[in-house]
Amino acid sequence: MPIYQTSGFEFEDPAVFADGMTRPDGAFVYARYSNPTVRSLEDAVAGLEGGVAAVAAASGMGAINMVLLGLLQPGDHVIAQHALYGGTAHMLDDLVERFGIQVSYVPEHDPAAVRAAIRPRTKLLYLETIANPMTQVADLPAMCAAAREAGILTAVDNTFASPILCRPIEHGADIVLHSTTKYLGGHADIIGGLAVFADDALYRKIWSYACTLGATPDPFAAWLTLRGMQTLALRMERHCANARVLATRLAGHPAVAAVHWPGLASHPSHEIAAKLLPDFSGVLSFDLLGGRAAGEKFMSSVRLALLAPSLGGVETLILHPASTSHRHLDEEQLAQAGIGAGTVRVAVGIEHAEDLWADIAQALD
Ligand SMILES: Cc1ncc(COP(=O)(O)O)c(C=O)c1O
């Protein structure tokens, strides 16, 4: 796919020009509305997710905001799971404070809590397939069914699973969200996001909102994402295999109090995860016996893993969620998301597993 590095397109027929501005399947007119390189990415991810179409955005948060702001009105009510990406949690707080939108929080595995939370103005159930950073896995079939019974849309952030491990539309989701910055792009060289839709009318509604919102991706970022996606399946295999090695060995190490990775039988989501996912992705968290001080010492002692934000690239990255990605959460919200003061998150890359373990073991020592 070439990079269509252009802001607009030239026409001979004024009617075709005018028509292209009104719908996503008309002619390409202006790159804030649609661009062929970006469309190619949208079609590729919609295909992988089993949706009818997708709208790309300049970042994962751009895609999330495009959906929230495109769907919700003041006075509406959202049901969200407790454990959310920090940026999403921050945005929901902002919607409550500044736009009069109500949000109720429920556990990601409890459809009865969804039914109990439903109000006349409930519009959306918001979930994450695998939550950041404690890796709780949502019971997508049960949660989506509870929302559907009540006529409510479900949006699922599928960033951590990628369509290789989970296709939420098959489990009843209406909208699938991605930070393509992560596994889809795969090389830590772009920021991007995307929403996939199960339904054509919903797709057109959000496309139309996205045209004026303007969180449009650049065609070069879309092209790099497409390039990265060619190795998505291979990379996911290695991310999952490496995470299994590290999680198992960390769980047996005397300095480690707890390991959070849904592939371990000790993880609270293991049963749901084993039914929903063929493998358990590449992000894990762990708590050291020495709490926050030990966590900080560990993070400044690793040599191969990088102390850096984000995940889903080829290199292993570590961070301290309570002071970085989840810094907006107060003590109670941190506790509800299951994040400890000393929790360390590891976004496992595709390096050789023994090199990674050697690095982690020397840092633990
Ligand atoms: C699960 C999840 N969703 C959304 C986002 C936001 O994506 P972006 O940084 O591309 O805006 C992130 C970023 O870390 C994330 O981890």
Side-chain angles (χ1 to χ4, degrees), residues 194-211:
L194 195 133
V196 181
F197 300 90
D199 172 77
D200 190 59
L202 191 56
Y203 160 61
R204 283 168 196 274
K205 179 179 162 132
I206 299 296
W207 176 82
S208 171
Y209 180 72
C211 289

Side-chain angles (χ1 to χ4, degrees), residues 37 44 75 78-79 87 89 175 185 247 249 255-256 290 303 307 312:
T37 316
V78 176
I79 303 172
I175 302 167
R249 293 190 191 174
V256 175
R303 295 190 194 127
L307 185 56

Side-chain angles (χ1 to χ4, degrees), residues 58-62 64 85 88 126 128 130 132 157 159-160 178-182 191-193 310-311 345:
S59 67
M61 284 312 301
I64 291 166
Y85 168 61
T88 307
Y126 190 97
E128 293 185 6
I130 306 175
N132 182 19
D157 184 331
T159 299
F160 272 44
H178 279 285
S179 166
T180 52
T181 313
K182 318 298 186 200
I191 294 281
S310 203
L311 63 119
R345 189 190 82 177

Side-chain angles (χ1 to χ4, degrees), residues 30-352:
Y30 185 55
R32 176 155 51 79
Y33 291 58
S34 291
N35 169 293
T37 316
V38 174
R39 176 61 53 76
S40 180
L41 170 66
E42 292 168 339
D43 290 348
V45 183
L48 282 179
E49 287 285 2
V52 295
V55 181
S59 67
M61 284 312 301
I64 291 166
N65 282 318
M66 170 177 92
V67 165
L68 293 176
L69 298 174
L71 286 179
L72 300 172
Q73 313 233 5
D76 280 348
H77 175 239
V78 176
I79 303 172
Q81 67 179 57
H82 288 296
L84 289 172
Y85 168 61
T88 307
H90 190 47
M91 183 60 195
L92 288 175
D93 285 349
D94 199 50
L95 288 179
V96 171
E97 271 170 36
R98 298 199 303 130
F99 297 96
I101 286 165
Q102 309 296 312
V103 184
S104 304
Y105 291 92
V106 297
E108 71 287 340
H109 54 78
D110 191 351
V114 174
R115 284 185 209 104
I118 284 163
R119 302 180 192 168
R121 295 278 308 261
T122 308
K123 290 281 161 61
L124 184 69
L125 172 65
Y126 190 97
L127 304 171
E128 293 185 6
T129 310
I130 306 175
N132 182 19
M134 305 309 277
T135 67
Q136 297 95 329
V137 177
D139 189 346
L140 292 184
M143 299 291 275
C144 294
R148 185 145 302 206
E149 277 162 28
I152 296 163
L153 295 174
T154 303
V156 179
D157 184 331
N158 198 36
T159 299
F160 272 44
S162 91
I164 300 298
L165 300 181
C166 186
R167 291 156 44 105
I169 289 172
E170 288 175 358
H171 302 293
D174 301 285
I175 302 167
V176 180
L177 293 156
H178 279 285
S179 166
T180 52
T181 313
K182 318 298 186 200
Y183 289 114
L184 289 173
H187 296 77
D189 51 10
I190 56 112
I191 294 281
L194 195 133
V196 181
F197 300 90
D199 172 77
D200 190 59
L202 191 56
Y203 160 61
R204 283 168 196 274
K205 179 179 162 132
I206 299 296
W207 176 82
S208 171
Y209 180 72
C211 289
T212 37
L213 180 69
T216 316
D218 184 85
F220 184 50
W223 185 85
L224 278 174
T225 311
L226 276 167
R227 182 80 186 259
M229 280 172 58
Q230 293 177 31
T231 54
L232 176 64
L234 281 174
R235 286 185 284 106
M236 286 312 289
E237 240 177 77
R238 178 64 90 91
H239 285 297
C240 295
N242 279 355
R244 181 179 297 279
V245 171
L246 298 190
T248 311
R249 293 190 191 174
L250 279 165
H253 195 283
V256 175
V259 181
H260 315 281
W261 185 65
L264 294 179
S266 57
H267 192 284
S269 301
H270 181 66
E271 207 178 308
I272 289 169
K275 270 194 231 148
L276 193 68
L277 310 170
D279 211 331
F280 306 100
S281 199
V283 178
L284 61 92
S285 295
F286 65 94
D287 303 307
L288 288 168
L289 281 173
R292 185 163 188 154
E296 280 167 7
K297 185 94 197 296
F298 172 83
M299 284 186 287
S300 55
S301 305
V302 288
R303 295 190 194 127
L304 176 60
L306 307 173
L307 185 56
S310 203
L311 63 119
V314 297
E315 293 149 316
T316 296
L317 309 179
I318 62 167
L319 61 74
H320 178 239
S323 64
T324 58
S325 58
H326 290 68
R327 67 191 178 285
H328 300 296
L329 271 56
D330 61 27
E331 293 289 312
E332 196 191 325
Q333 288 171 313
L334 280 173
Q336 259 166 354
I339 302 169
T343 301
V344 176
R345 189 190 82 177
V346 186
V348 183
I350 62 168
E351 302 93 334
H352 197 291

